[in-house]
Amino acid sequence: MATVVMAYPELRHPFERTDIHPNGAATVLYQGRAVTLREARTDGHLLIRPNDLAKVNGFELKPEGACHADTCIPIRDDMFEQDDGGRWFNLTAFAEHMQQAYVADEDSSVWSFAEMPSKRDSMLIDALAPDFEVKDRQGRVVSKNSLKGKKAMIVTWASW
Amino acid sequence: MDVPVWQRINEEIHSEIENPNFVLVCVAEDTGGEAVAGPIFDAANPTYVQVIDEDHIISSTFDFVNVPSAVWIDEESRIVRIDEGTYSQIHEFDWGEEKIVFGNDVYAAALKDWVKKGAASTHVQSSATVAAHVRNHSFEQLKADAAFRLGNFFRLHGYSDKAEKYWQMARALNPDSVNFIRQHLTLTEEGSAGETFWALAASYERDGKDLYRPLDIVV
C-alpha cells in the first residue's frame, strides 16, 4: 500500500455549494481578485459595461485608448457594441488584442484571465520586477511598490 | 520545514548587519489557505512578512515551477537573483530505513552577503544573467495559470467537478509545473508525496530534468 503523506483529503471538497454570483451576471478573475459584474453579455465573448473595465483589470477607457499607468493601448472601434441596453466593451477581444490568455466557464459565466505578457517584458529586458500584488496575513498589501527602497527576498514554500 | 529556519535567518540578518534595510517575504503556495498554512507559520513565531497565496500568484509572477523558490529584488526593484531551489539549510529526515538529505548551507550565507554589501556582493547577478534565468512562460502556460485559478474559485464555491476539470486543464497546459501537480495531489488519498510524486521525481531523474534550477552558488 502506498505511503500516505501530505494528503489533505478532508480539504478535498470542504466547501458548501454557494451561488457563484447571486446578484451579478458574470464574475471575472484576475490577479487574485474576483470581481462580480452586475451586468454582462456573454455569447462566446464577454462584453462588459465600459465603466467596469477599471474594476476588472485597472485599465481606464480614454479617448486615446485603454490606459494603465503611463501606457495607453489603442482600441479598435469593433471592441465596442451598442444595443438597446446601451454600450458594451468586449473584454475578451481586448484580451486577445493584448495576447492575454483566459479560460471561461460559460455555463457559470466565470472568466479567468492570466497576466498580460506585456507586463512581464521588464523582467526579460532589464530584470525589473513585474507588478504584482498579494496580501499578507494581516491584510496588508505586498507589492512591487510596497517593497521599493528595501532589499527583499520573496521565498515560496508549501504545506504539501 | 524551512519556515522556522527563515525566521532564525531573518533574526540573524537584523542583529548581525547594521541597518540591513531588508524585508523577507515568505509565501505559502497553498490552496488550503489559512487552515493549512496558518498553523505552520504561527509555530515559527515569524516577524517576517507572511503571505498565503491560494492562487499561486507569486509563482506565476516570477515563473516558479516548484517550492521552495525565491527571488531577490533590490531597492530599485531590480531582480538580482531568481528561480533557484532555495532551501534555507541542509535538512535530514528518516524515510523508512532511508535517510533523506536535501538542501544546502550556502544559500543563507549568500543572502546575508547581499544584504550586507548590496550591489558589491558577488552573489548579485547581472540583468542579462537574471533575464536568462527567467523561465519561459508561454501563452499555454499563462492559460494554465488562468485555469488553475478558475478551478480554485469553483472549489471555494463547492463545485468540485468543475474544480477538478480546470485543475486537470492547468496540469495539461503546463505539465512542468510541479506546483500544480503536487497541489492537486494534496486532494487525493495518496497526497502530494505519495506514489505519483515519486514516480514523477524518478522520471525527472531519468530524463535529466531538475525539479529546480540548480543553485548557482558554489556548494
Side-chain angles (χ1 to χ4, degrees), chain A residues 152-157, chain B residues 6 24-27 58-59 62-73 79-88 107 111 125 130 133 212-213 215:
Chain A
M153 181 173 87
I154 302 173
V155 60
T156 62
W157 66 279
Chain B
W6 285 124
L24 174 61
V25 182
C26 277
V27 181
I58 292 297
S59 287
F62 298 104
D63 302 332
F64 298 156
V65 295
N66 201 353
V67 295
S69 295
V71 57
W72 297 1
I73 304 172
I79 298 169
V80 296
R81 293 189 80 90
I82 192 168
D83 189 18
E84 295 167 298
T86 48
Y87 286 101
S88 57
Y107 191 79
L111 174 66
Q125 296 177 333
V130 168
H133 284 180
Y212 308 95
R213 179 185 304 290
L215 196 60

Side-chain angles (χ1 to χ4, degrees), chain A residues 28-153:
Chain A
V28 175
L29 310 180
Y30 179 54
Q31 292 183 326
R33 295 189 306 273
V35 176
T36 296
L37 301 173
R38 201 165 55 81
E39 297 178 284
R41 265 182 47 196
T42 58
D43 52 1
H45 283 275
L46 175 61
L47 282 77
I48 66 172
R49 293 300 188 191
N51 286 341
D52 285 337
L53 183 62
K55 273 197 290 191
V56 301
N57 66 11
F59 279 82
E60 286 189 62
L61 291 168
K62 297 181 178 178
E64 56 269 40
C67 301
H68 183 271
D70 55 356
T71 302
C72 287
I73 310 297
I75 296 298
R76 300 191 311 265
D77 289 344
D78 65 3
M79 289 185 192
F80 291 96
E81 285 190 26
Q82 182 79 36
D83 64 16
D84 293 344
R87 201 162 181 241
W88 300 93
F89 179 71
N90 191 329
L91 184 63
T92 42
F94 179 66
E96 287 157 15
H97 182 61
M98 300 295 289
Q99 298 179 305
Q100 180 186 22
Y102 63 88
V103 177
D105 188 278
E106 291 198 55
D107 293 344
S108 305
S109 201
V110 183
W111 302 70
S112 179
F113 290 81
E115 191 50 279
M116 295 181 188
S118 59
K119 290 198 172 180
R120 308 161 49 77
D121 288 349
S122 64
M123 190 159 60
L124 298 168
I125 295 167
D126 50 16
L128 279 176
D131 288 329
F132 66 92
E133 183 177 310
V134 289
K135 290 197 173 156
D136 71 8
R137 292 177 74 201
Q138 285 71 42
R140 294 172 297 217
V141 169
V142 180
S143 66
K144 175 180 163 181
N145 283 341
S146 77
L147 299 175
K148 194 161 188 175
K150 293 177 184 280
K151 298 183 196 76
M153 181 173 87

Side-chain angles (χ1 to χ4, degrees), chain B:
Chain B
M1 215 170 262
D2 281 322
V3 172
V5 184
W6 285 124
Q7 174 59 19
R8 174 177 58 74
I9 292 167
N10 194 43
E11 288 172 7
E12 289 170 0
I13 285 173
H14 284 88
S15 64
E16 294 169 6
I17 300 172
E18 191 177 348
N19 188 24
N21 196 30
F22 169 74
V23 59
L24 174 61
V25 182
C26 277
V27 181
E29 301 292 70
D30 243 309
T31 58
E34 186 68 33
V36 170
I40 299 173
F41 266 136
D42 289 341
N45 293 315
T47 52
Y48 52 66
V49 177
Q50 307 138 56
V51 173
I52 299 177
D53 181 14
E54 296 185 24
D55 283 330
H56 294 202
I57 301 283
I58 292 297
S59 287
S60 172
T61 299
F62 298 104
D63 302 332
F64 298 156
V65 295
N66 201 353
V67 295
S69 295
V71 57
W72 297 1
I73 304 172
D74 75 7
E75 297 89 332
E76 301 303 320
S77 302
R78 195 177 79 81
I79 298 169
V80 296
R81 293 189 80 90
I82 192 168
D83 189 18
E84 295 167 298
T86 48
Y87 286 101
S88 57
Q89 66 174 27
I90 294 173
H91 296 289
E92 290 184 19
F93 67 92
D94 293 325
W95 182 267
E97 294 185 357
E98 276 186 77
K99 186 174 285 295
I100 304 285
V101 180
F102 61 95
N104 67 81
D105 58 3
V106 297
Y107 191 79
L111 174 66
K112 288 180 181 178
D113 188 73
W114 173 56
V115 173
K116 188 174 182 180
K117 298 175 184 169
S121 168
T122 56
H123 301 295
V124 167
Q125 296 177 333
S126 70
S127 295
T129 298
V130 168
H133 284 180
V134 174
R135 282 178 197 264
N136 178 41
H137 211 109
S138 68
F139 184 83
E140 294 295 292
Q141 288 165 325
L142 286 163
K143 192 171 179 178
D145 295 343
F148 182 80
R149 287 169 201 161
L150 188 58
N152 203 28
F153 177 85
F154 280 121
R155 195 173 68 88
L156 291 168
H157 282 273
Y159 290 78
S160 54
D161 50 345
K162 287 180 184 277
E164 284 290 320
K165 172 184 170 181
Y166 291 111
W167 278 19
Q168 290 286 3
M169 181 188 290
R171 287 179 58 175
L173 287 165
N174 188 2
D176 287 338
S177 173
V178 180
N179 283 333
F180 288 167
I181 295 168
R182 296 192 71 197
Q183 183 72 85
H184 192 195
L185 287 171
T186 60
L187 305 181
T188 65
E189 293 299 328
E190 69 173 275
S192 65
E195 277 180 346
T196 303
F197 171 69
W198 288 111
L200 176 79
S203 74
Y204 269 54
E205 189 170 348
R206 188 177 61 243
D207 298 341
K209 289 172 68 176
D210 291 302
L211 287 165
Y212 308 95
R213 179 185 304 290
L215 196 60
D216 193 14
I217 297 172
V218 177
V219 179

